[in-house]
Amino acid sequence: MYSSSVADAPLVREPLHAPVAHLIRGGMVEGIHYGSVVVLGADGEIQLQLGDIEAAFYPRSALKPVQAAAMVRAGLPLDGELLSLAAASHSGEERHLAGTRRILDIAGLAEDDLRNVPDLPYDPVVRDAWVREGRMPSRLAQNCSGKHAAMLYTAKLNGWPLDDYLDPAHPLQQAIAEIVEDLTGQRIARVTVDGCGAPLFSVSLHGLARAAARITTAAPGTPEARVADAMREHAEMASGSGRDVAALMRAVPGLLAKDGFEGVQVAALPDGRTVAVKIADGADRARIPVAAAALARAGVDPALLTEFAGEPLLGGGQPVGSVRPVRALDPLPSASYA
């Protein structure tokens, strides 16, 4: 289905995004969200593309399942909720902090060994509670702490240095980069620093979709399948109890979904059908409605996706509009759903 060869890096250029959603208020188009969308069939072929799916872009945290698979390939022995946490952009709930501590304890390491940026919890309710209680930003509370703890554990298992585990030249990051290229099927275009301090690899939206499809279609027991199983079975550990990406995985049987800052979403089914979305302006309100529409276009029963149509636009406290994906994302008239 997918070639084992690695293609050249995607071009670094201004992406040629297209309209992917309309902001409708009072029956009129008030605004337009531009972006790019790709839908892959079970055979890996492109079923739909909008915008620019081949330009280099930063997948942000949507690449975490790939990073986690790379760590498992390098010997990371985690499974279940702790492996899900290793691929997480978590909300900073106590379960996430406790899980990160468990990874560090298993590795014989401490919070001070983490090199991610101290932060308050991502979930606004949890964050507000921290502020009321006078709690300060911490590395454990930062949404990537599970990934960083897993990176440290992987480095220690391989005898690699710990202090500079975030250096792109570090053996751990080189091993991750190799798997990013393997699963996306293309060379990395650029390397920069993500918000948490870890290296961030630039690929294409098409490449991100390919990687997600390869993870969900991997043979049982492989590193990729272990990551997919962990995230699907422990969706709240990979995100949070009130997060839309966890709700999406619960709603669609077998779906693996991961979000990323700046309007990135990838979602893949066990048979390889995959969607990937980038909202050009990073607006989160368009991310899930567009991704849900793309999943319906990929053949997911729209009845499973009704709760992901997006929050209504309010006027005077009453619904007066919505974010509506463009008609090109409408399900095919002849589609049949299992």
Side-chain angles (χ1 to χ4, degrees):
M1 181 170 62
Y2 293 97
S3 171
S4 59
S5 62
V6 177
D8 291 340
L11 292 177
V12 177
R13 64 186 181 212
E14 180 177 346
L16 302 174
H17 291 304
V20 295
H22 292 145
L23 187 67
I24 306 296
R25 182 182 294 271
M28 289 180 54
V29 176
E30 183 179 33
I32 301 174
H33 286 294
Y34 283 74
S36 296
V37 179
V38 60
V39 177
L40 300 183
D43 59 359
E45 295 298 314
I46 296 171
Q47 302 299 312
L48 174 74
Q49 60 179 320
L50 296 175
D52 194 344
I53 68 169
E54 303 295 356
F57 91 121
Y58 292 121
R60 303 298 299 268
S61 288
L63 199 62
K64 283 179 179 174
V66 179
Q67 293 171 306
M71 288 188 277
V72 175
R73 285 198 195 187
L76 182 69
L78 300 177
D79 279 300
E81 63 178 10
L82 294 186
L83 182 54
S84 183
L85 184 60
S89 301
H90 66 69
S91 292
E93 300 166 34
E94 286 303 323
R95 71 171 122 188
H96 301 127
L97 277 61
T100 301
R101 291 191 193 97
R102 283 171 57 196
I103 296 173
L104 291 170
D105 287 346
I106 294 168
L109 299 168
E111 181 179 352
D112 288 344
D113 293 307
L114 296 170
R115 293 292 181 267
N116 58 319
V117 178
D119 201 355
L120 292 170
Y122 177 75
D123 183 274
V125 175
V126 180
R127 183 171 62 245
D128 289 348
W130 271 56
V131 172
R132 287 195 303 271
E133 296 165 7
R135 300 172 72 174
M136 301 300 292
S138 80
R139 298 185 193 277
L140 284 178
Q142 197 271 334
N143 76 88
C144 302
S145 64
K147 178 182 78 173
H148 281 255
M151 285 181 169
L152 280 167
Y153 190 9
T154 305
K156 185 173 182 180
L157 287 169
N158 284 277
W160 296 330
L162 301 183
D163 289 346
D164 61 344
Y165 74 94
L166 296 182
D167 188 329
H170 189 280
L172 170 68
Q173 302 302 338
Q174 291 292 300
I176 291 174
E178 180 181 348
I179 304 310
V180 169
E181 293 187 336
D182 177 34
L183 293 181
T184 63
Q186 59 190 178
R187 301 293 179 194
I188 292 166
R190 292 278 175 88
V191 180
T192 188
V193 182
D194 209 341
C196 64
L200 176 61
F201 306 109
S202 175
V203 292
S204 70
L205 193 67
H206 189 186
L208 175 65
R210 278 195 299 264
R214 292 186 67 182
I215 288 173
T216 59
T217 59
T222 60
E224 292 80 8
R226 284 171 55 189
V227 170
D229 289 344
M231 292 181 68
R232 289 183 294 220
E233 292 169 12
H234 303 277
E236 287 80 7
M237 206 65 165
S239 53
S241 56
R243 297 274 289 282
D244 53 28
V245 69
L248 188 62
M249 283 194 275
R250 290 194 302 266
V252 181
L255 186 72
L256 174 69
K258 185 68 188 76
D259 53 346
F261 279 148
E262 297 302 325
V264 182
Q265 182 71 54
V266 66
L269 291 154
D271 64 2
R273 287 176 291 156
T274 303
V275 307
V277 172
K278 163 64 181 175
I279 305 301
D281 61 1
D284 207 45
R285 68 181 176 188
R287 172 182 53 84
I288 277 290
V290 171
L295 283 168
R297 181 60 183 258
V300 173
D301 186 348
L304 300 175
L305 301 166
T306 53
E307 67 176 291
F308 306 104
E311 295 296 323
L313 300 181
L314 301 180
Q318 299 299 317
V320 295
S322 64
V323 175
R324 186 181 302 165
V326 295
R327 294 195 180 281
L329 289 168
D330 286 350
L332 294 173
S334 59
S336 60
Y337 308 107

